[in-house]
Short mmCIF file of all heavy atoms in Angstrom, two decimals:
data_model
loop_
_atom_site.label_atom_id
_atom_site.label_comp_id
_atom_site.label_asym_id
_atom_site.label_seq_id
_atom_site.Cartn_x
_atom_site.Cartn_y
_atom_site.Cartn_z
N MET A 1 -6.45 5.89 -19.38
CA MET A 1 -7.85 6.01 -19.09
C MET A 1 -8.07 7.36 -18.39
O MET A 1 -7.49 7.64 -17.36
CB MET A 1 -8.27 4.85 -18.18
CG MET A 1 -9.70 4.93 -17.75
SD MET A 1 -10.32 3.38 -17.14
CE MET A 1 -9.99 3.52 -15.43
N ALA A 2 -8.89 8.20 -18.97
CA ALA A 2 -9.17 9.52 -18.43
C ALA A 2 -10.27 9.44 -17.38
O ALA A 2 -11.18 8.61 -17.47
CB ALA A 2 -9.60 10.46 -19.55
N LEU A 3 -10.16 10.30 -16.39
CA LEU A 3 -11.19 10.36 -15.35
C LEU A 3 -12.33 11.23 -15.84
O LEU A 3 -12.12 12.28 -16.44
CB LEU A 3 -10.63 10.92 -14.06
CG LEU A 3 -9.62 10.06 -13.34
CD1 LEU A 3 -9.06 10.82 -12.14
CD2 LEU A 3 -10.24 8.77 -12.89
N LYS A 4 -13.55 10.81 -15.54
CA LYS A 4 -14.73 11.58 -15.90
C LYS A 4 -15.36 12.10 -14.63
O LYS A 4 -15.55 11.35 -13.68
CB LYS A 4 -15.74 10.71 -16.65
CG LYS A 4 -15.25 10.16 -17.95
CD LYS A 4 -16.31 9.29 -18.57
CE LYS A 4 -15.78 8.53 -19.75
NZ LYS A 4 -16.76 7.60 -20.29
N LYS A 5 -15.69 13.38 -14.61
CA LYS A 5 -16.39 13.95 -13.48
C LYS A 5 -17.88 13.89 -13.78
O LYS A 5 -18.32 14.20 -14.88
CB LYS A 5 -15.96 15.37 -13.22
CG LYS A 5 -14.56 15.46 -12.68
CD LYS A 5 -14.26 16.84 -12.19
CE LYS A 5 -12.88 16.85 -11.57
NZ LYS A 5 -12.56 18.12 -10.99
N SER A 6 -18.63 13.50 -12.77
CA SER A 6 -20.06 13.38 -12.93
C SER A 6 -20.76 14.07 -11.77
O SER A 6 -20.33 13.97 -10.63
CB SER A 6 -20.46 11.91 -12.98
OG SER A 6 -21.86 11.79 -13.01
N THR A 7 -21.82 14.77 -12.08
CA THR A 7 -22.61 15.39 -11.03
C THR A 7 -23.74 14.48 -10.59
O THR A 7 -24.43 14.77 -9.62
CB THR A 7 -23.18 16.74 -11.51
OG1 THR A 7 -23.95 16.51 -12.70
CG2 THR A 7 -22.07 17.72 -11.80
N ASP A 8 -23.97 13.39 -11.31
CA ASP A 8 -25.02 12.45 -10.94
C ASP A 8 -24.59 11.66 -9.71
O ASP A 8 -23.44 11.29 -9.55
CB ASP A 8 -25.30 11.47 -12.09
CG ASP A 8 -25.81 12.18 -13.34
OD1 ASP A 8 -26.38 13.27 -13.19
OD2 ASP A 8 -25.63 11.63 -14.43
N ALA A 9 -25.55 11.37 -8.86
CA ALA A 9 -25.28 10.56 -7.67
C ALA A 9 -25.18 9.10 -8.10
O ALA A 9 -25.94 8.63 -8.93
CB ALA A 9 -26.39 10.74 -6.65
N SER A 10 -24.22 8.39 -7.53
CA SER A 10 -24.06 6.97 -7.82
C SER A 10 -24.85 6.16 -6.81
O SER A 10 -24.85 6.47 -5.62
CB SER A 10 -22.59 6.55 -7.74
OG SER A 10 -21.85 7.23 -8.71
N SER A 11 -25.49 5.13 -7.30
CA SER A 11 -26.22 4.27 -6.38
C SER A 11 -25.24 3.30 -5.72
O SER A 11 -24.12 3.11 -6.18
CB SER A 11 -27.30 3.50 -7.13
OG SER A 11 -26.71 2.52 -7.97
N LEU A 12 -25.66 2.70 -4.63
CA LEU A 12 -24.82 1.75 -3.92
C LEU A 12 -24.46 0.58 -4.83
O LEU A 12 -23.33 0.09 -4.80
CB LEU A 12 -25.54 1.25 -2.67
CG LEU A 12 -24.78 0.25 -1.82
CD1 LEU A 12 -23.48 0.85 -1.33
CD2 LEU A 12 -25.63 -0.21 -0.66
N ALA A 13 -25.40 0.15 -5.66
CA ALA A 13 -25.14 -0.97 -6.57
C ALA A 13 -24.03 -0.62 -7.57
O ALA A 13 -23.18 -1.45 -7.88
CB ALA A 13 -26.40 -1.36 -7.31
N GLU A 14 -24.03 0.62 -8.09
CA GLU A 14 -22.98 1.04 -9.03
C GLU A 14 -21.62 1.09 -8.36
O GLU A 14 -20.62 0.67 -8.93
CB GLU A 14 -23.32 2.41 -9.61
CG GLU A 14 -24.51 2.40 -10.55
CD GLU A 14 -24.94 3.80 -10.96
OE1 GLU A 14 -24.59 4.78 -10.25
OE2 GLU A 14 -25.63 3.91 -11.97
N VAL A 15 -21.58 1.60 -7.13
CA VAL A 15 -20.33 1.68 -6.39
C VAL A 15 -19.80 0.29 -6.09
O VAL A 15 -18.62 -0.01 -6.29
CB VAL A 15 -20.50 2.49 -5.09
CG1 VAL A 15 -19.26 2.41 -4.22
CG2 VAL A 15 -20.85 3.94 -5.41
N LEU A 16 -20.67 -0.60 -5.63
CA LEU A 16 -20.27 -1.97 -5.33
C LEU A 16 -19.79 -2.69 -6.58
O LEU A 16 -18.79 -3.41 -6.55
CB LEU A 16 -21.44 -2.73 -4.69
CG LEU A 16 -21.13 -4.14 -4.21
CD1 LEU A 16 -20.03 -4.12 -3.17
CD2 LEU A 16 -22.38 -4.78 -3.65
N ASP A 17 -20.45 -2.48 -7.70
CA ASP A 17 -20.04 -3.09 -8.96
C ASP A 17 -18.64 -2.62 -9.36
O ASP A 17 -17.79 -3.41 -9.75
CB ASP A 17 -21.05 -2.75 -10.07
CG ASP A 17 -20.69 -3.41 -11.38
OD1 ASP A 17 -20.48 -4.65 -11.39
OD2 ASP A 17 -20.62 -2.70 -12.40
N ARG A 18 -18.37 -1.34 -9.22
CA ARG A 18 -17.05 -0.80 -9.57
C ARG A 18 -15.97 -1.34 -8.65
O ARG A 18 -14.89 -1.72 -9.09
CB ARG A 18 -17.08 0.73 -9.49
CG ARG A 18 -15.71 1.34 -9.55
CD ARG A 18 -15.34 2.17 -10.66
NE ARG A 18 -16.26 2.41 -11.69
CZ ARG A 18 -16.16 3.42 -12.51
NH1 ARG A 18 -15.19 4.26 -12.36
NH2 ARG A 18 -17.01 3.58 -13.49
N VAL A 19 -16.26 -1.42 -7.34
CA VAL A 19 -15.28 -1.94 -6.38
C VAL A 19 -14.97 -3.40 -6.69
O VAL A 19 -13.81 -3.81 -6.69
CB VAL A 19 -15.79 -1.78 -4.92
CG1 VAL A 19 -14.97 -2.61 -3.96
CG2 VAL A 19 -15.76 -0.32 -4.53
N LEU A 20 -15.98 -4.20 -6.96
CA LEU A 20 -15.74 -5.61 -7.25
C LEU A 20 -15.03 -5.81 -8.58
O LEU A 20 -14.23 -6.71 -8.73
CB LEU A 20 -17.06 -6.38 -7.24
CG LEU A 20 -17.70 -6.54 -5.86
CD1 LEU A 20 -19.04 -7.25 -5.99
CD2 LEU A 20 -16.80 -7.27 -4.89
N GLU A 21 -15.29 -4.92 -9.54
CA GLU A 21 -14.63 -5.03 -10.84
C GLU A 21 -13.16 -4.65 -10.75
O GLU A 21 -12.29 -5.35 -11.27
CB GLU A 21 -15.33 -4.12 -11.86
CG GLU A 21 -14.69 -4.16 -13.23
CD GLU A 21 -15.33 -3.17 -14.19
OE1 GLU A 21 -16.45 -2.71 -13.94
OE2 GLU A 21 -14.67 -2.86 -15.19
N LYS A 22 -12.86 -3.55 -10.08
CA LYS A 22 -11.48 -3.05 -10.01
C LYS A 22 -10.73 -3.60 -8.80
O LYS A 22 -9.54 -3.86 -8.88
CB LYS A 22 -11.46 -1.52 -9.94
CG LYS A 22 -12.11 -0.85 -11.12
CD LYS A 22 -11.34 -1.10 -12.38
CE LYS A 22 -12.00 -0.37 -13.53
NZ LYS A 22 -11.38 -0.64 -14.79
N GLY A 23 -11.41 -3.74 -7.68
CA GLY A 23 -10.80 -4.25 -6.45
C GLY A 23 -10.16 -3.15 -5.62
O GLY A 23 -9.82 -2.08 -6.12
N ILE A 24 -10.04 -3.43 -4.32
CA ILE A 24 -9.40 -2.53 -3.37
C ILE A 24 -8.46 -3.36 -2.52
O ILE A 24 -8.81 -4.45 -2.09
CB ILE A 24 -10.43 -1.85 -2.45
CG1 ILE A 24 -11.34 -0.91 -3.24
CG2 ILE A 24 -9.75 -1.08 -1.34
CD1 ILE A 24 -12.43 -0.30 -2.40
N VAL A 25 -7.26 -2.85 -2.28
CA VAL A 25 -6.31 -3.52 -1.39
C VAL A 25 -5.94 -2.54 -0.29
O VAL A 25 -5.54 -1.41 -0.56
CB VAL A 25 -5.04 -3.97 -2.13
CG1 VAL A 25 -4.03 -4.56 -1.16
CG2 VAL A 25 -5.38 -4.95 -3.23
N ILE A 26 -6.09 -2.99 0.96
CA ILE A 26 -5.67 -2.20 2.11
C ILE A 26 -4.55 -2.99 2.78
O ILE A 26 -4.75 -4.12 3.22
CB ILE A 26 -6.83 -1.98 3.09
CG1 ILE A 26 -7.98 -1.25 2.38
CG2 ILE A 26 -6.35 -1.20 4.31
CD1 ILE A 26 -9.26 -1.22 3.17
N ASP A 27 -3.38 -2.41 2.82
CA ASP A 27 -2.22 -3.08 3.40
C ASP A 27 -1.75 -2.25 4.59
O ASP A 27 -1.38 -1.09 4.43
CB ASP A 27 -1.10 -3.18 2.36
CG ASP A 27 -0.07 -4.22 2.69
OD1 ASP A 27 -0.23 -4.92 3.71
OD2 ASP A 27 0.91 -4.33 1.94
N ALA A 28 -1.82 -2.83 5.79
CA ALA A 28 -1.48 -2.09 7.00
C ALA A 28 -0.43 -2.85 7.81
O ALA A 28 -0.44 -4.08 7.85
CB ALA A 28 -2.72 -1.88 7.85
N TRP A 29 0.46 -2.10 8.44
CA TRP A 29 1.50 -2.69 9.27
C TRP A 29 1.73 -1.74 10.43
O TRP A 29 1.88 -0.53 10.24
CB TRP A 29 2.77 -2.87 8.46
CG TRP A 29 3.88 -3.48 9.21
CD1 TRP A 29 4.05 -4.81 9.50
CD2 TRP A 29 5.01 -2.82 9.76
NE1 TRP A 29 5.20 -5.01 10.20
CE2 TRP A 29 5.82 -3.78 10.38
CE3 TRP A 29 5.41 -1.50 9.81
CZ2 TRP A 29 6.98 -3.48 11.03
CZ3 TRP A 29 6.60 -1.20 10.46
CH2 TRP A 29 7.37 -2.18 11.05
N ALA A 30 1.72 -2.27 11.64
CA ALA A 30 1.93 -1.44 12.83
C ALA A 30 2.80 -2.18 13.83
O ALA A 30 2.73 -3.41 13.95
CB ALA A 30 0.60 -1.08 13.46
N ARG A 31 3.63 -1.43 14.54
CA ARG A 31 4.49 -2.01 15.58
C ARG A 31 4.47 -1.07 16.78
O ARG A 31 4.63 0.13 16.63
CB ARG A 31 5.91 -2.17 15.07
CG ARG A 31 6.81 -2.77 16.10
CD ARG A 31 8.20 -3.05 15.63
NE ARG A 31 8.62 -2.27 14.48
CZ ARG A 31 9.81 -2.37 13.94
NH1 ARG A 31 10.70 -3.21 14.42
NH2 ARG A 31 10.14 -1.64 12.91
N VAL A 32 4.27 -1.65 17.96
CA VAL A 32 4.29 -0.89 19.20
C VAL A 32 5.51 -1.35 19.99
O VAL A 32 5.65 -2.53 20.30
CB VAL A 32 2.99 -1.12 20.02
CG1 VAL A 32 3.05 -0.37 21.33
CG2 VAL A 32 1.77 -0.71 19.22
N SER A 33 6.38 -0.40 20.30
CA SER A 33 7.60 -0.71 21.04
C SER A 33 7.72 0.22 22.25
O SER A 33 7.27 1.36 22.21
CB SER A 33 8.84 -0.50 20.17
OG SER A 33 8.81 -1.37 19.07
N LEU A 34 8.33 -0.31 23.28
CA LEU A 34 8.60 0.48 24.47
C LEU A 34 10.04 0.22 24.88
O LEU A 34 10.42 -0.93 25.12
CB LEU A 34 7.64 0.09 25.60
CG LEU A 34 7.77 0.86 26.90
CD1 LEU A 34 7.43 2.34 26.68
CD2 LEU A 34 6.85 0.28 27.95
N VAL A 35 10.86 1.24 24.88
CA VAL A 35 12.28 1.16 25.24
C VAL A 35 12.99 0.10 24.39
O VAL A 35 13.73 -0.74 24.90
CB VAL A 35 12.46 0.88 26.75
CG1 VAL A 35 13.92 1.07 27.16
CG2 VAL A 35 11.57 1.75 27.59
N GLY A 36 12.69 0.09 23.11
CA GLY A 36 13.35 -0.83 22.20
C GLY A 36 12.85 -2.27 22.24
O GLY A 36 13.37 -3.13 21.56
N ILE A 37 11.82 -2.54 23.04
CA ILE A 37 11.25 -3.89 23.11
C ILE A 37 9.93 -3.89 22.38
O ILE A 37 9.02 -3.11 22.70
CB ILE A 37 11.04 -4.32 24.59
CG1 ILE A 37 12.36 -4.31 25.34
CG2 ILE A 37 10.38 -5.70 24.65
CD1 ILE A 37 12.21 -4.50 26.83
N GLU A 38 9.84 -4.76 21.39
CA GLU A 38 8.62 -4.83 20.61
C GLU A 38 7.53 -5.52 21.44
O GLU A 38 7.67 -6.65 21.86
CB GLU A 38 8.86 -5.60 19.32
CG GLU A 38 7.68 -5.59 18.39
CD GLU A 38 7.98 -6.24 17.05
OE1 GLU A 38 9.08 -6.01 16.52
OE2 GLU A 38 7.12 -6.98 16.59
N LEU A 39 6.44 -4.79 21.67
CA LEU A 39 5.34 -5.32 22.46
C LEU A 39 4.25 -5.92 21.59
O LEU A 39 3.63 -6.91 21.96
CB LEU A 39 4.73 -4.22 23.34
CG LEU A 39 5.67 -3.56 24.34
CD1 LEU A 39 4.98 -2.41 25.02
CD2 LEU A 39 6.16 -4.59 25.34
N LEU A 40 4.02 -5.32 20.44
CA LEU A 40 2.92 -5.75 19.58
C LEU A 40 3.27 -5.46 18.13
O LEU A 40 3.78 -4.39 17.81
CB LEU A 40 1.64 -4.99 19.96
CG LEU A 40 0.38 -5.28 19.17
CD1 LEU A 40 -0.08 -6.71 19.42
CD2 LEU A 40 -0.70 -4.31 19.58
N SER A 41 3.01 -6.42 17.28
CA SER A 41 3.23 -6.24 15.85
C SER A 41 2.00 -6.76 15.12
O SER A 41 1.56 -7.87 15.37
CB SER A 41 4.47 -7.01 15.41
OG SER A 41 4.68 -6.82 14.04
N ILE A 42 1.45 -5.93 14.25
CA ILE A 42 0.24 -6.29 13.51
C ILE A 42 0.51 -6.06 12.02
O ILE A 42 0.98 -5.00 11.63
CB ILE A 42 -0.96 -5.44 13.95
CG1 ILE A 42 -1.27 -5.67 15.43
CG2 ILE A 42 -2.18 -5.74 13.09
CD1 ILE A 42 -2.31 -4.74 15.99
N GLU A 43 0.19 -7.05 11.24
CA GLU A 43 0.29 -6.93 9.79
C GLU A 43 -1.01 -7.44 9.20
O GLU A 43 -1.47 -8.53 9.53
CB GLU A 43 1.46 -7.74 9.26
CG GLU A 43 1.71 -7.53 7.79
CD GLU A 43 2.97 -8.21 7.31
OE1 GLU A 43 3.83 -8.56 8.14
OE2 GLU A 43 3.08 -8.40 6.09
N ALA A 44 -1.63 -6.65 8.35
CA ALA A 44 -2.91 -7.05 7.77
C ALA A 44 -2.96 -6.65 6.30
O ALA A 44 -2.47 -5.60 5.90
CB ALA A 44 -4.06 -6.36 8.51
N ARG A 45 -3.55 -7.50 5.52
CA ARG A 45 -3.80 -7.21 4.10
C ARG A 45 -5.24 -7.59 3.82
O ARG A 45 -5.62 -8.74 3.99
CB ARG A 45 -2.86 -7.99 3.20
CG ARG A 45 -3.15 -7.74 1.72
CD ARG A 45 -2.11 -8.31 0.84
NE ARG A 45 -0.95 -7.42 0.92
CZ ARG A 45 0.24 -7.73 0.46
NH1 ARG A 45 0.46 -8.89 -0.07
NH2 ARG A 45 1.23 -6.87 0.57
N VAL A 46 -6.02 -6.62 3.42
CA VAL A 46 -7.42 -6.84 3.13
C VAL A 46 -7.63 -6.59 1.64
O VAL A 46 -7.24 -5.55 1.12
CB VAL A 46 -8.31 -5.87 3.95
CG1 VAL A 46 -9.78 -6.06 3.62
CG2 VAL A 46 -8.06 -6.05 5.44
N VAL A 47 -8.22 -7.56 0.98
CA VAL A 47 -8.50 -7.44 -0.44
C VAL A 47 -10.00 -7.57 -0.64
O VAL A 47 -10.60 -8.55 -0.20
CB VAL A 47 -7.77 -8.54 -1.26
CG1 VAL A 47 -8.14 -8.44 -2.73
CG2 VAL A 47 -6.28 -8.45 -1.06
N ILE A 48 -10.59 -6.58 -1.29
CA ILE A 48 -12.00 -6.63 -1.62
C ILE A 48 -12.10 -6.60 -3.14
O ILE A 48 -11.75 -5.60 -3.76
CB ILE A 48 -12.76 -5.44 -1.01
CG1 ILE A 48 -12.60 -5.43 0.50
CG2 ILE A 48 -14.24 -5.49 -1.40
CD1 ILE A 48 -13.13 -4.20 1.17
N ALA A 49 -12.53 -7.70 -3.72
CA ALA A 49 -12.64 -7.81 -5.17
C ALA A 49 -13.49 -9.02 -5.50
O ALA A 49 -13.71 -9.88 -4.65
CB ALA A 49 -11.27 -7.94 -5.82
N SER A 50 -13.93 -9.08 -6.73
CA SER A 50 -14.64 -10.28 -7.16
C SER A 50 -13.63 -11.41 -7.31
O SER A 50 -12.42 -11.18 -7.41
CB SER A 50 -15.34 -10.03 -8.50
OG SER A 50 -14.38 -9.85 -9.53
N VAL A 51 -14.10 -12.62 -7.30
CA VAL A 51 -13.20 -13.78 -7.44
C VAL A 51 -12.46 -13.71 -8.77
O VAL A 51 -11.26 -13.96 -8.83
CB VAL A 51 -14.00 -15.09 -7.32
CG1 VAL A 51 -13.13 -16.28 -7.64
CG2 VAL A 51 -14.60 -15.22 -5.93
N GLU A 52 -13.14 -13.32 -9.82
CA GLU A 52 -12.52 -13.23 -11.14
C GLU A 52 -11.38 -12.20 -11.14
O GLU A 52 -10.29 -12.47 -11.64
CB GLU A 52 -13.56 -12.85 -12.19
CG GLU A 52 -13.01 -12.77 -13.59
CD GLU A 52 -14.07 -12.39 -14.61
OE1 GLU A 52 -15.23 -12.16 -14.22
OE2 GLU A 52 -13.72 -12.32 -15.78
N THR A 53 -11.61 -11.03 -10.55
CA THR A 53 -10.59 -9.99 -10.47
C THR A 53 -9.41 -10.47 -9.63
O THR A 53 -8.25 -10.30 -10.00
CB THR A 53 -11.17 -8.70 -9.87
OG1 THR A 53 -12.26 -8.27 -10.68
CG2 THR A 53 -10.12 -7.60 -9.79
N TRP A 54 -9.69 -11.08 -8.48
CA TRP A 54 -8.63 -11.58 -7.60
C TRP A 54 -7.76 -12.60 -8.33
O TRP A 54 -6.54 -12.53 -8.29
CB TRP A 54 -9.23 -12.19 -6.34
CG TRP A 54 -8.25 -13.01 -5.58
CD1 TRP A 54 -8.25 -14.36 -5.48
CD2 TRP A 54 -7.09 -12.57 -4.88
NE1 TRP A 54 -7.17 -14.78 -4.73
CE2 TRP A 54 -6.44 -13.70 -4.35
CE3 TRP A 54 -6.53 -11.33 -4.63
CZ2 TRP A 54 -5.28 -13.63 -3.60
CZ3 TRP A 54 -5.37 -11.26 -3.88
CH2 TRP A 54 -4.77 -12.39 -3.37
N LEU A 55 -8.39 -13.55 -9.00
CA LEU A 55 -7.62 -14.59 -9.69
C LEU A 55 -6.76 -14.00 -10.80
O LEU A 55 -5.63 -14.42 -11.00
CB LEU A 55 -8.56 -15.67 -10.24
CG LEU A 55 -9.20 -16.55 -9.18
CD1 LEU A 55 -10.21 -17.49 -9.83
CD2 LEU A 55 -8.19 -17.33 -8.39
N THR A 56 -7.28 -13.02 -11.51
CA THR A 56 -6.53 -12.39 -12.59
C THR A 56 -5.26 -11.72 -12.06
O THR A 56 -4.17 -11.95 -12.56
CB THR A 56 -7.40 -11.35 -13.31
OG1 THR A 56 -8.54 -12.01 -13.86
CG2 THR A 56 -6.62 -10.66 -14.42
N TYR A 57 -5.40 -10.89 -11.04
CA TYR A 57 -4.26 -10.14 -10.54
C TYR A 57 -3.35 -10.96 -9.64
O TYR A 57 -2.15 -10.77 -9.62
CB TYR A 57 -4.72 -8.86 -9.84
CG TYR A 57 -5.29 -7.88 -10.84
CD1 TYR A 57 -6.65 -7.70 -10.95
CD2 TYR A 57 -4.46 -7.18 -11.69
CE1 TYR A 57 -7.18 -6.83 -11.88
CE2 TYR A 57 -4.96 -6.31 -12.62
CZ TYR A 57 -6.33 -6.13 -12.71
OH TYR A 57 -6.83 -5.27 -13.64
N ALA A 58 -3.90 -11.88 -8.87
CA ALA A 58 -3.08 -12.71 -7.98
C ALA A 58 -2.13 -13.59 -8.78
O ALA A 58 -0.96 -13.75 -8.42
CB ALA A 58 -3.97 -13.57 -7.09
N GLU A 59 -2.60 -14.13 -9.87
CA GLU A 59 -1.73 -14.95 -10.71
C GLU A 59 -0.64 -14.09 -11.37
O GLU A 59 0.51 -14.50 -11.46
CB GLU A 59 -2.54 -15.68 -11.78
CG GLU A 59 -1.73 -16.68 -12.55
CD GLU A 59 -2.58 -17.53 -13.49
OE1 GLU A 59 -3.71 -17.14 -13.83
OE2 GLU A 59 -2.08 -18.59 -13.90
N ALA A 60 -1.01 -12.87 -11.76
CA ALA A 60 -0.04 -11.98 -12.42
C ALA A 60 1.11 -11.58 -11.49
O ALA A 60 2.23 -11.42 -11.95
CB ALA A 60 -0.75 -10.73 -12.93
N VAL A 61 0.85 -11.44 -10.21
CA VAL A 61 1.91 -11.03 -9.28
C VAL A 61 2.48 -12.20 -8.49
O VAL A 61 3.28 -12.01 -7.59
CB VAL A 61 1.42 -9.93 -8.30
CG1 VAL A 61 1.07 -8.67 -9.04
CG2 VAL A 61 0.29 -10.41 -7.44
N GLY A 62 2.08 -13.41 -8.82
CA GLY A 62 2.68 -14.59 -8.23
C GLY A 62 2.14 -14.97 -6.86
O GLY A 62 2.83 -15.62 -6.09
N LEU A 63 0.92 -14.56 -6.53
CA LEU A 63 0.33 -14.93 -5.25
C LEU A 63 -0.32 -16.30 -5.28
O LEU A 63 -0.64 -16.85 -4.24
CB LEU A 63 -0.71 -13.89 -4.80
CG LEU A 63 -0.15 -12.52 -4.44
CD1 LEU A 63 -1.27 -11.56 -4.11
CD2 LEU A 63 0.81 -12.62 -3.27
N LEU A 64 -0.52 -16.83 -6.45
CA LEU A 64 -1.13 -18.15 -6.58
C LEU A 64 -0.07 -19.17 -6.91
O LEU A 64 0.74 -18.99 -7.81
CB LEU A 64 -2.17 -18.17 -7.70
CG LEU A 64 -3.45 -17.39 -7.47
CD1 LEU A 64 -4.34 -17.54 -8.70
CD2 LEU A 64 -4.17 -17.86 -6.26
N VAL A 65 -0.06 -20.24 -6.17
CA VAL A 65 0.73 -21.40 -6.55
C VAL A 65 -0.30 -22.38 -7.06
O VAL A 65 -0.96 -23.06 -6.29
CB VAL A 65 1.52 -21.96 -5.35
CG1 VAL A 65 2.29 -23.18 -5.77
CG2 VAL A 65 2.41 -20.90 -4.77
N CYS A 66 -0.47 -22.38 -8.34
CA CYS A 66 -1.61 -23.05 -8.94
C CYS A 66 -1.20 -24.41 -9.54
O CYS A 66 -0.28 -24.49 -10.34
CB CYS A 66 -2.20 -22.16 -10.02
SG CYS A 66 -3.84 -22.62 -10.50
N GLU A 67 -1.91 -25.43 -9.13
CA GLU A 67 -1.75 -26.74 -9.72
C GLU A 67 -2.48 -26.75 -11.06
O GLU A 67 -3.29 -25.87 -11.33
CB GLU A 67 -2.35 -27.80 -8.78
CG GLU A 67 -1.71 -27.86 -7.42
CD GLU A 67 -0.26 -28.32 -7.46
OE1 GLU A 67 0.05 -29.19 -8.29
OE2 GLU A 67 0.55 -27.79 -6.68
N PRO A 68 -2.25 -27.74 -11.89
CA PRO A 68 -2.94 -27.80 -13.19
C PRO A 68 -4.46 -27.81 -13.05
O PRO A 68 -5.16 -27.40 -13.96
CB PRO A 68 -2.45 -29.10 -13.80
CG PRO A 68 -1.13 -29.34 -13.16
CD PRO A 68 -1.23 -28.77 -11.77
N ILE A 69 -4.98 -28.20 -11.90
CA ILE A 69 -6.44 -28.24 -11.72
C ILE A 69 -7.05 -26.85 -11.67
O ILE A 69 -8.23 -26.67 -11.91
CB ILE A 69 -6.79 -29.05 -10.46
CG1 ILE A 69 -8.24 -29.48 -10.49
CG2 ILE A 69 -6.48 -28.25 -9.21
CD1 ILE A 69 -8.59 -30.50 -9.46
N CYS A 70 -6.27 -25.80 -11.36
CA CYS A 70 -6.78 -24.43 -11.28
C CYS A 70 -7.18 -23.90 -12.64
O CYS A 70 -7.94 -22.96 -12.73
CB CYS A 70 -5.75 -23.52 -10.65
SG CYS A 70 -5.44 -23.82 -8.92
N ARG A 71 -6.62 -24.38 -13.66
CA ARG A 71 -6.89 -23.81 -14.98
C ARG A 71 -8.04 -24.43 -15.61
O ARG A 71 -8.70 -25.12 -15.82
CB ARG A 71 -5.67 -23.96 -15.85
CG ARG A 71 -4.54 -23.15 -15.27
CD ARG A 71 -3.36 -23.12 -16.21
NE ARG A 71 -2.25 -22.58 -15.51
CZ ARG A 71 -1.87 -21.33 -15.58
NH1 ARG A 71 -2.51 -20.48 -16.32
NH2 ARG A 71 -0.84 -20.90 -14.92
#
């Protein structure tokens, strides 16, 4: 898929539609240590996508343990 450059301004609705269609994943991990002692550990995964997009990709990478009722 080739990238297209556009000089037209995108509306918020177009941007939101693209984000929900393709999805965004933010995966963050942080650790605060002092003298080798872990004081704080934070792990976060934020997924922004439509339900349809999430279900498609989550099943493909094995994030869903789906009972027969899911289908």
Side-chain angles (χ1 to χ4, degrees):
M1 177 162 92
L3 292 175
K4 298 178 190 175
K5 290 191 176 184
S6 174
T7 57
D8 298 335
S10 297
S11 70
L12 180 61
E14 291 172 340
V15 172
L16 186 59
D17 182 52
R18 168 115 0 160
V19 166
L20 290 176
E21 179 184 342
K22 301 294 182 184
I24 294 176
V25 175
I26 301 169
D27 199 4
W29 181 79
R31 180 176 22 179
V32 177
S33 298
L34 182 64
V35 191
I37 300 170
E38 186 174 318
L39 300 174
L40 179 67
S41 181
I42 298 172
E43 187 173 342
R45 177 170 284 167
V46 178
V47 177
I48 301 172
S50 67
V51 172
E52 181 180 2
T53 302
W54 166 251
L55 290 174
T56 300
Y57 291 104
E59 188 173 19
V61 296
L63 292 176
L64 291 180
V65 178
C66 197
E67 299 294 323
I69 198 168
C70 292
R71 296 188 192 262

